[in-house]
Amino acid sequence: MDQDSRCTGERELSEAVSRITTSSATSPSDEEDNQPEAEISCQVRKENPEKDDMQDCSTTLSPNSSMTTKELQEYWRNEKRQCKQIKLLFEISSTRIVEHQLSKYVMYKIIILQTGSFDSNKSVIERRYSDFEKLHRNLLEEFSEEMEDVTFPKKTLTGNFTEEIINERKLAFKDYLRLLYSMKYIRRSKKFIDFLTRPELQEAYGCLRGGQYTKALEILLEVIGLQERLTRGNPAAIVPTLCAIVVCHKDLENPASAFEYGEKALSRLRGHTSHRYYIPLLDTMITLAYELGKDFLSLQEKLEEWKTKKDPVRVFTLKELAVREYVR
């Protein structure tokens, strides 16, 4: 009996140690415990798919032995970002009346803030009533059921420029954007994202085509943060913008900055070698790496590997692709 009791006790002790070890391996670190409440685990996300708007863990690539140390670091940084719930707040801080010879309208200044962040993460855009009206019509076409209870401020025949009407619309548009963003399928839609980013991107690409690289770069750097937060579930969506930034930096003879943004673009194309920007970007990165005295052999290997798998086709340069974006 004593021997049996001792064996039983040893087995229970062993099981207890095993449970503690497993718990230690799966529990978050002290650093993670101190993260904001917005940061939640991928497991919670899977159990509550409708509760938050983060990319499913199953859609991300797993680390592998072929990754360099830098690629692994970038991979885990992306993983950590993807397991954070990002929410945006909309404020309409001010308005201004614009008068042309044949038209007069009000521009609403929209400030877009990320929850839990300071002004360094804010984006500022301007839109007029007709822009909101067009967005509403477009969303009604695609999301008629979701938009059933969404009200839109009506146009008035007179008094559109009175302080009272303008202030009413400021509050109405703020609530309107907040409500749209609260609906998952709408905030992920191209029409909603275009409303918030397309005018600025069109202006930036117009400057790029005109050789105004400094002005284009200024606008692109303003919009890239917002565009990234709006398309978190689709990392490749911001590749054209990142590549346009590469082109601007390269033509402004800032190879180090061009290479930095090129690396960001490549990290978002991992597993998307058929993407139209992949080969032009690789080609540009090889040139930049050679110019900066960096190792370009791994980039060259990827390029050669792609060439062996694909039939020879006419490939545009990175700049040729960039100038074709947002051409009306």
Side-chain angles (χ1 to χ4, degrees), residues 86-92 110-117 122-123 174 177-178 181 226:
I86 298 297
K87 288 187 178 179
L88 300 180
L89 302 175
F90 298 87
E91 296 288 342
I92 298 184
I110 307 167
I111 298 178
I112 306 164
L113 294 163
Q114 182 175 315
T115 53
S117 66
K122 74 179 180 182
S123 299
K174 173 186 172 180
L177 290 173
R178 178 190 57 78
Y181 186 76
L226 174 60

Side-chain angles (χ1 to χ4, degrees), residues 108 128-140 147-156 168-169 172-177 179-180 195:
Y108 297 85
R128 54 189 289 188
Y129 181 94
S130 59
D131 295 325
F132 282 97
E133 194 175 37
K134 181 180 178 182
L135 170 66
H136 192 69
R137 286 198 309 269
N138 290 339
L139 291 177
L140 281 173
M147 298 287 290
E148 268 183 350
D149 300 322
V150 179
T151 57
F152 187 81
K154 297 286 178 71
K155 232 175 192 176
T156 57
E168 283 180 6
R169 285 183 177 172
F173 284 141
K174 173 186 172 180
D175 291 339
Y176 178 73
L177 290 173
L179 184 56
L180 293 182
F195 169 78

Side-chain angles (χ1 to χ4, degrees), residues 35-151:
Q35 294 296 323
E37 290 181 4
E39 183 170 346
I40 59 176
S41 69
C42 293
Q43 181 62 34
V44 172
R45 184 175 74 247
K46 287 182 179 180
E47 293 171 357
N48 302 281
E50 298 297 326
K51 194 173 182 179
D52 33 66
D53 184 38
M54 299 178 296
Q55 182 180 1
D56 193 282
C57 289
S58 63
T59 64
T60 63
L61 293 174
S62 299
N64 57 67
S65 58
S66 65
M67 286 185 182
T68 64
T69 301
K70 193 167 188 178
E71 287 175 333
L72 281 169
Q73 290 173 342
E74 179 67 20
Y75 170 84
W76 288 119
R77 276 196 294 269
N78 287 336
E79 282 296 294
K80 189 173 182 180
R81 284 196 294 266
Q82 287 162 4
C83 288
K84 287 183 179 179
Q85 184 180 6
I86 298 297
K87 288 187 178 179
L88 300 180
L89 302 175
F90 298 87
E91 296 288 342
I92 298 184
S93 61
S94 61
T95 60
R96 62 187 179 94
I97 297 175
V98 179
E99 293 189 63
H100 293 301
Q101 289 182 343
L102 299 175
S103 64
K104 181 180 179 182
Y105 54 87
V106 179
M107 293 294 289
Y108 297 85
K109 185 177 182 179
I110 307 167
I111 298 178
I112 306 164
L113 294 163
Q114 182 175 315
T115 53
S117 66
F118 296 100
D119 287 349
S120 59
N121 285 325
K122 74 179 180 182
S123 299
V124 181
I125 59 175
E126 280 191 318
R127 298 292 183 267
R128 54 189 289 188
Y129 181 94
S130 59
D131 295 325
F132 282 97
E133 194 175 37
K134 181 180 178 182
L135 170 66
H136 192 69
R137 286 198 309 269
N138 290 339
L139 291 177
L140 281 173
E141 291 175 3
E142 188 173 350
F143 304 102
S144 56
E145 291 184 11
E146 290 87 343
M147 298 287 290
E148 268 183 350
D149 300 322
V150 179
T151 57

Side-chain angles (χ1 to χ4, degrees), residues 255-274:
S257 296
F259 191 84
E260 176 189 347
Y261 279 92
E263 285 188 313
K264 291 179 181 180
L266 277 179
S267 72
R268 285 159 175 77
L269 288 180
R270 196 174 293 122
H272 299 277
T273 57
S274 61

